[in-house]
Amino acid sequence: MTVKPGWEGRYFEDFEVGDVYRHPLGRTISEADNTWFTLLTCNSNMMHFNSHYAQRSEFGRLLVNSGLTLALVLGQSVSDVSQQAMANLGFDEVRFTHPVFVGDTLYAESIVLAVRESASRPHAGIVTVRTRGLNQDGDECLSYVRSALIYKRGCSHDAGMFPEAARPLTIDEG
């Protein structure tokens, strides 16, 4: 039996300027998601949690908290962009270009803008991407530029992380 590793994310060497990653998971935002995030972050704008109030606005319905939109799109990009990141270095040009409503499904994609060696950390490099979030109709709702410090392949930061089981996994288990 051969143990095959799961997806580990991209290392610094895997990034090339111009590469586009369509992140695989779409996510529908529920009213509970929006309300919980809004309450968790102490956001007191009633557009996010008071339906009666929101119905009287120009949108006529609850508006998804922009912090949730940003967090969700960022999270969708992690498996392709920053699963092997040491740290995020910055977010620039954050733009919310279309409203997001409860019930919308968001998708994300990123394009690599720059790749360079780190001057201070020989075991990592800096990758800069532009990421955007699209709703189910293809409307761009959010875009931003992010730079992250990404580990190089072979760096020992994640070696031996998976614990050895006391008993091997076998086909015959019932």
Side-chain angles (χ1 to χ4, degrees), residues 69-159:
T69 302
L70 178 60
L72 178 59
V73 170
L74 171 63
Q76 289 172 312
S77 74
V78 167
S79 65
D80 289 314
V81 174
S82 58
Q83 190 162 326
Q84 291 298 333
M86 175 186 290
N88 280 313
L89 300 177
F91 289 84
D92 296 298
E93 302 174 36
V94 178
R95 302 286 182 266
F96 297 97
T97 52
H98 190 278
V100 177
F101 301 105
V102 168
D104 280 351
T105 301
L106 293 183
Y107 298 87
E109 62 182 355
S110 299
I111 185 168
V112 180
L113 302 178
V115 177
R116 72 173 178 85
E117 299 279 337
S118 169
S120 61
R121 291 178 173 82
H123 56 283
I126 298 169
V127 175
T128 302
V129 299
R130 177 178 305 281
T131 298
R132 68 180 181 172
L134 305 172
N135 70 10
Q136 66 280 351
D137 300 319
D139 297 318
E140 182 179 296
C141 302
L142 160 73
S143 67
Y144 60 84
V145 173
R146 171 169 66 134
S147 294
L149 191 59
I150 309 291
Y151 285 112
K152 291 182 177 178
R153 184 172 275 101
C155 181
S156 62
H157 75 285
D158 59 354

Side-chain angles (χ1 to χ4, degrees), residues 56-68:
R56 301 172 96 187
S57 75
E58 69 179 80
F59 299 113
R61 55 190 164 152
L62 291 173
L63 190 60
V64 169
N65 184 317
S66 57
L68 175 56

Side-chain angles (χ1 to χ4, degrees), residues 34-54:
N34 191 44
T35 300
W36 276 107
F37 188 90
T38 298
L39 293 172
L40 179 66
T41 58
C42 299
N43 186 327
S44 60
N45 187 318
M46 290 192 287
M47 282 297 298
H48 306 307
F49 60 86
N50 182 328
S51 293
H52 183 246
Y53 180 87

